[in-house]
Each structure stands twice: as C-alpha cells, then as structure tokens.
Amino acid sequence: MAHINIKRIDKVEFENLSHLIEESEKQGFRFVRRLVNEYLNGENSFSLEGEVLYGAYDRNGLLVAVAGLNRNPYSGENTIGRVRRCYVANEMRGQGIGKLLIEQLIKDADGMFNVLVLHTDTEQGDRFYQALGFVSDSERFLKSSHYYEIGH
C-alpha cells in the first residue's frame, strides 16, 4: 500500500475535494458533492456526539479518500451509526485505503453505537462492505443495504 495518512477532517473545503467531486460525478456518484453541500449549508457537519469525518492523504498531502460516520437519521435510536460518503479515488483503489477508513470508523463507533448501517447500490460496494464484515440486508434497517454489529 502507498504511504497513506488518515486524519480527521474538521473543516470541509470544496477546494480540497474538487478533484474527488469531479471524478465521482463522472462515475455517476453525487454523494461527494452532497458531502460538501450539506456541510456548507449546515445539514451535516459531522459534529454531533459520535460523528466524525476522515480523509486519507497521500505522501504529498493530496486527499485521496473520504468516509464519515453519523448518527443514523432514519431511526429514533442513538445506538445506530451510519457510514456516509465513503469514496476512494480511482487510482488509489485496491490498496486497502477504504478498508483503513472503515476500520477507523468502526473503532470510533465502538462504545458509542451498537450497530453501523449504510446504503450502497453497487456490486463493488456490496463486495467491499461484506469483505469487512457487514451483512447485506435491506430489510432490517430503514434506507440501509448493509449493517455491522459492533463487537461481533
């Protein structure tokens, strides 16, 4: 794996994410732009207790991946976290960066949440999350395709 530094992102800036927005939109994904827009309009700033946003930076300091953790907005329970906005730059895929980010989110969630949920609608995403121990089940949690029980 390339030298990668995982750091918490405390302030989302469009300039730092513009290359990931452009690349992801070419692939039909709008969620990286949504990350910036929701942060700027205050809808989701990853600032509630238990919430966090991480970036993966290459040796030159370029942001090459992002992933966040929120309280699940689709349930009334504070014990469910939601993995949000996980994206890895094309040229960095297959090097374990996404795995590092998700493992960090799971560590952060331990003690705060009992379950993590997420939604993906791609086969690649399905394989990725199942390889990390997430269970594919779109029925168990509202607006979720996968879940992970913390501590199991």
Side-chain angles (χ1 to χ4, degrees):
M1 176 175 28
H3 174 76
I4 295 296
N5 187 17
I6 305 291
K7 294 191 306 190
R8 185 177 182 148
I9 298 174
D10 292 317
K11 184 177 181 209
V12 173
E13 296 176 348
F14 178 80
E15 301 79 39
N16 295 341
L17 285 159
S18 60
H19 62 290
L20 294 181
I21 292 170
E22 184 179 328
E23 179 184 287
S24 64
E25 288 182 342
K26 285 180 183 174
Q27 298 169 3
F29 300 120
R30 297 182 312 271
F31 62 85
V32 181
R33 181 177 299 276
R34 196 173 309 132
L35 164 70
V36 174
N37 291 343
E38 289 178 352
Y39 181 88
L40 293 175
N41 72 22
E43 188 176 332
N44 184 2
S45 58
F46 296 90
S47 59
L48 297 176
E49 185 180 6
E51 295 186 340
V52 64
L53 179 65
Y54 283 104
Y57 298 83
D58 69 10
R59 70 177 63 241
N60 299 316
L62 179 67
L63 182 64
V64 296
V66 294
L69 176 64
N70 287 125
R71 291 171 179 247
N72 186 26
Y74 306 113
S75 71
E77 301 175 49
N78 287 334
T79 60
I80 301 174
R82 189 169 190 89
V83 175
R84 305 295 292 266
R85 317 297 185 233
C86 182
Y87 185 80
V88 178
N90 278 338
E91 76 268 4
M92 303 304 285
R93 291 183 186 163
Q95 299 183 42
I97 297 167
K99 179 181 181 200
L100 285 175
L101 285 168
I102 298 302
E103 286 174 345
Q104 182 63 55
L105 293 179
I106 290 169
K107 273 190 224 171
D108 288 0
D110 192 11
M112 184 70 199
F113 301 112
N114 296 329
V115 176
L116 294 182
V117 297
L118 62 89
H119 175 77
T120 184
D121 55 7
T122 67
E123 285 183 37
Q124 182 181 11
D126 175 60
R127 286 190 306 272
F128 170 74
Y129 289 111
Q130 286 195 56
L132 293 173
F134 284 77
V135 176
S136 177
D137 185 342
S138 61
E139 303 293 316
R140 185 157 179 204
F141 297 97
L142 184 64
K143 295 189 178 190
S144 299
S145 61
H146 294 74
Y147 72 90
Y148 180 94
E149 293 189 42
I150 305 290
H152 293 124

